[in-house]
Amino acid sequence: GDSVTQMEGPVTLSEEAFLTINCTYTATGYPSLFWYVQYPGEGLQLLLKATKADDKGSNKGFEATYRKETTSFHLEKGSVQVSDSAVYFCAPTDTGNQFYFGTGTSLTVIP
Amino acid sequence: DSGVTQTPKHLITATGQRVTLRCSPRSGDLSVYWYQQSLDQGLQFLIHYYNGEERAKGNILERFSAQQFPDLHSELNLSSLELGDSALYFCASSMPTSGGNEQFFGPGTRLTVL
């Protein structure tokens, strides 16, 4: 079945630093790809998504590009803020909308 | 607010007991998914229901069961509880199951087994 490998955390950055969280996946066919974010004490919420190769998803300054040739969907942000401190999950989905979540990467941004 | 509700928010019980967690999906969503989140194992998919029928099973123990009712709410039943069952349990809902549809997560139920 589909699976995902996500960069292990925890990651600690200073405010305004550049963020990259790596995500690679294995899948049959052409999955849609998602990044979800979980803020402390809350459920997961969608951060961004891409549904086909070379699509770029973006939201709140975060971006990720669907790279079919490298089966990757790395999350980036040019300048992180303290409010970005959260756990980030990468997930491909299959045609049945089954999500395959990674282990999550915890990000802490310090002032 | 995702529109997905879960009750109770917190549950504390003893080993060997049985509990029921409840989830109401967003209006119009036919699919309900259950996940377990523990500190050491991340987010584990348990089971998926679509319009009352089981669609897929993940890492769900035989002691656990679920169902989706005609009004589309779902219940996750956990029995013969063990200390290791302590975790956050999330449900999520989505539109009919074609690929690429966002799952909307509830706030979770925190289960503590003592």
Side-chain angles (χ1 to χ4, degrees):
Chain A
D2 296 6
S3 66
V4 64
T5 301
Q6 199 173 324
M7 175 175 149
E8 287 195 21
V11 175
T12 302
L13 295 174
S14 297
E15 205 164 23
E16 299 183 3
F18 184 85
L19 168 71
T20 299
I21 300 178
N22 290 335
C23 170
T24 57
Y25 66 91
T26 59
T28 53
Y30 304 97
S32 295
L33 302 173
F34 291 75
W35 276 100
Y36 274 76
V37 59
Q38 184 179 27
Y39 298 104
E42 298 183 11
L44 279 72
Q45 54 186 275
L46 177 67
L47 181 59
L48 54 84
K49 74 175 192 181
T51 56
K52 62 182 187 296
D54 300 323
D55 269 2
K56 178 186 283 188
S58 61
N59 186 25
K60 300 181 181 179
F62 290 90
E63 293 182 340
T65 301
Y66 191 139
R67 300 287 188 200
K68 185 170 178 293
E69 64 277 9
T70 55
T71 61
S72 65
F73 193 52
H74 305 319
L75 183 68
E76 296 182 335
K77 186 174 185 181
S79 176
V80 293
Q81 306 300 312
V82 172
S83 58
D84 294 327
S85 298
V87 181
Y88 293 82
F89 292 90
C90 179
T93 65
D94 62 19
T95 53
N97 214 39
Q98 182 68 49
F99 277 58
Y100 297 86
F101 283 100
T103 52
T105 301
S106 174
L107 170 67
T108 300
V109 180
I110 54 178
Chain B
D1 184 357
S2 67
V4 179
T5 60
Q6 288 187 249
T7 56
K9 190 166 184 175
H10 300 278
L11 198 49
I12 300 174
T13 187
T15 55
Q17 295 299 304
R18 173 189 169 93
V19 297
T20 297
L21 313 183
R22 183 189 169 100
C23 168
S24 293
R26 287 190 329 150
S27 177
D29 285 356
L30 300 180
S31 276
V32 169
Y33 307 80
W34 285 98
Y35 295 88
Q36 179 192 59
Q37 186 178 36
S38 53
L39 280 175
D40 58 345
Q41 291 195 0
L43 198 66
Q44 300 284 318
F45 165 68
L46 296 178
I47 198 162
H48 168 207
Y49 275 84
Y50 173 74
N51 202 21
E53 295 189 0
E54 182 185 302
R55 273 296 176 93
K57 267 188 176 180
N59 299 320
I60 188 166
L61 300 171
E62 285 191 12
R63 300 183 286 107
F64 296 1
S65 65
Q67 54 186 327
Q68 187 179 25
F69 295 87
D71 67 353
L72 301 177
H73 91 271
S74 178
E75 293 181 355
L76 179 67
N77 301 295
L78 315 177
S79 61
S80 303
L81 285 167
E82 302 175 359
L83 295 178
D85 298 327
S86 295
L88 266 170
Y89 291 83
F90 289 105
C91 90
S93 72
S94 75
M95 292 291 285
T97 53
S98 56
N101 285 301
E102 175 183 357
Q103 288 190 12
F104 295 85
F105 280 76
T109 293
R110 181 173 293 281
L111 173 67
T112 303
V113 182
L114 302 176

